[in-house]
């Protein structure tokens, strides 16, 4: 492709050569996108590095053609600027990807080291768990039991903490929703209090029905309000007791 571009250029078909070069550079730009993968196991990263070297070699092979095209008088100013900008972008992306691949290779090597260690450790651990005889010393057995009970307690406490966190997050959302509703309700009541009560019986009956529905809605919020108030009171007491301990 590069030799064909050079042949087009030397035969005077500059626009055809430019179009071919621009198409290749656009494909290279897409291939060097920041989102393109650079991570994986060692074999995958080596494959990605090899692919990147191919792009680097192709860039180097086309450099002479680009220099010739960018020479004064070979291209109109707008086309020369377009080519220059695209060429610089592709080279910049190429450098960025090379640095990302170096980091990816470092991580892949670290990952390979961990895999090697785990491959050695896991069979030994499996053999110990399956075939290792239980100790006969009473104190050692008691220590193992205590260690196992401590692990269970830690797991149980972790589950309780997760549940407590979910409850706190739910209470925070409920509080925000309730405060927003109260703000709207207060504004609605303030507006209605300023309105005069009409003499029309049907209108008054409609207003009374709306007010009773509003009252029912207020009543339905009581349980949530009381529960949140108790939580706030409880937290305030705990905070007050904690002050003595610094």
């Amino acid at each position: 492709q590069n030799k064909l571009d050079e042949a087009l250029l030397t035969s005077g078909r500059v626009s055809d050569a430019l179009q071919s070069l621009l198409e290749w550079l656009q494909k290279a730009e897409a291939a060097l996108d920041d989102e393109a993968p650079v991570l994986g196991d060692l074999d995958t990263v080596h494959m990605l590095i090899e692919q990147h070297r191919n792009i680097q070699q192709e860039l180097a092979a086309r450099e002479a053609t680009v220099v010739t095209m960018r020479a004064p008088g070979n291209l109109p100013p707008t086309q020369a600027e377009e080519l220059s900008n695209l060429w610089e972008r592709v080279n910049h992306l190429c450098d960025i990807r090379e640095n990302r691949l170096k980091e990816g290779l470092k991580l892949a090597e670290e990952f390979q080291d961990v895999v090697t260690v785990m491959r050695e450790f896991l069979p030994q651990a499996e053999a110990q768990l399956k075939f290792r005889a239980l100790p006969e010393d009473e104190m050692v057995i008691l220590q193992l039991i205590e260690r196992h009970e401590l692990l269970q307690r830690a797991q149980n406490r972790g589950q309780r903490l997760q549940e407590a966190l979910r409850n706190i997050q739910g209470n925070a959302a409920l509080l925000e929703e309730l405060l927003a509703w109260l703000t709207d309700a207060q504004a609605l009541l303030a507006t209605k209090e300023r309105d005069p009560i009409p003499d029309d019986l049907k209108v008054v009956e409609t207003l009374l029905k709306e007010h009773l529905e509003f009252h029912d809605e207020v009543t339905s919020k009581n349980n949530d309000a009381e529960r949140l108030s108790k939580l706030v009171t409880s937290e305030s007491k705990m905070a007050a007791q904690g002050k003595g301990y610094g």
Side-chain angles (χ1 to χ4, degrees):
Q1 181 64 44
N2 188 42
K3 289 185 179 298
L4 287 171
D5 291 342
E6 289 177 353
L8 287 171
L9 189 63
T10 54
S11 64
R13 298 175 61 180
V14 177
S15 60
D16 292 334
L18 175 64
Q19 186 61 34
S20 176
L21 182 59
L22 288 176
E23 287 176 1
W24 183 87
L25 285 172
Q26 287 163 357
K27 290 179 182 177
E29 185 180 26
L32 294 168
D33 185 74
D34 287 342
E35 301 299 323
V38 293
L39 300 178
D41 57 50
L42 206 52
D43 291 339
T44 301
V45 175
H46 278 307
M47 180 190 69
L48 294 172
I49 290 173
E50 188 61 31
Q51 291 174 352
H52 186 64
R53 283 177 182 160
N54 291 337
I55 295 177
Q56 288 177 314
Q57 289 170 1
E58 290 183 38
L59 268 176
R62 283 170 167 79
E63 187 172 7
T65 304
V66 173
V67 170
T68 302
M69 285 189 175
R70 292 166 68 181
N74 283 341
L75 290 175
T78 54
Q79 292 182 338
E81 184 179 2
E82 180 186 5
L83 175 61
S84 296
N85 291 340
L86 186 54
W87 177 258
E88 296 299 331
R89 275 203 314 274
V90 170
N91 278 276
H92 179 64
L93 289 172
C94 195
D95 292 340
I96 291 175
R97 183 163 177 80
E98 184 176 10
N99 292 331
R100 291 178 67 215
L101 283 169
K102 286 180 181 177
E103 185 64 26
L105 180 61
K106 181 181 175 184
L107 291 172
E109 290 171 346
E110 292 175 1
F111 174 73
Q112 186 66 32
D113 292 341
V114 173
V115 169
T116 303
V117 172
M118 292 303 293
R119 280 178 175 166
E120 294 174 358
F121 164 75
L122 287 175
Q124 297 173 5
E126 184 181 26
Q128 287 183 356
L129 291 171
K130 278 186 176 180
F131 308 116
R132 185 179 179 182
L134 291 173
E136 297 179 357
D137 186 280
E138 181 183 359
M139 290 301 298
V140 176
I141 292 175
L142 289 172
Q143 287 175 357
L144 289 173
I145 292 173
E146 178 64 20
R147 190 179 302 167
H148 183 70
E149 286 172 348
L150 285 172
L151 180 61
Q152 289 287 355
R153 264 184 271 169
Q155 290 174 343
N156 292 337
R157 178 166 173 78
Q159 291 173 355
R160 291 198 303 271
L161 287 170
Q162 287 289 345
E163 185 178 352
L165 177 62
R166 285 193 294 269
N167 289 336
I168 289 171
Q169 290 171 339
N171 289 333
L174 179 61
L175 178 61
E176 185 176 354
E177 179 185 343
L178 188 58
L179 287 173
W181 182 87
L182 284 170
T183 302
D184 293 340
Q186 187 178 20
L188 179 63
L189 276 176
T191 301
K192 288 186 177 296
E193 283 177 355
R194 289 195 296 268
D195 295 338
I197 296 177
D199 296 329
D200 191 309
L201 180 60
K202 289 184 179 181
V203 176
V204 173
E205 287 176 345
T206 302
L207 290 174
L208 179 59
K209 181 182 177 183
E210 290 176 357
H211 185 72
L212 290 174
E213 290 174 354
F214 177 76
H215 188 272
D216 291 339
E217 191 176 3
V218 173
T219 304
S220 69
K221 304 287 184 184
N222 277 347
N223 291 335
D224 291 338
E226 288 177 4
R227 183 163 68 84
L228 290 172
S229 297
K230 287 178 181 177
L231 282 173
V232 172
T233 304
S234 174
E235 289 175 0
S236 299
K237 287 180 179 178
M238 291 174 65
Q241 291 172 356
K243 285 180 181 176
Y245 299 96

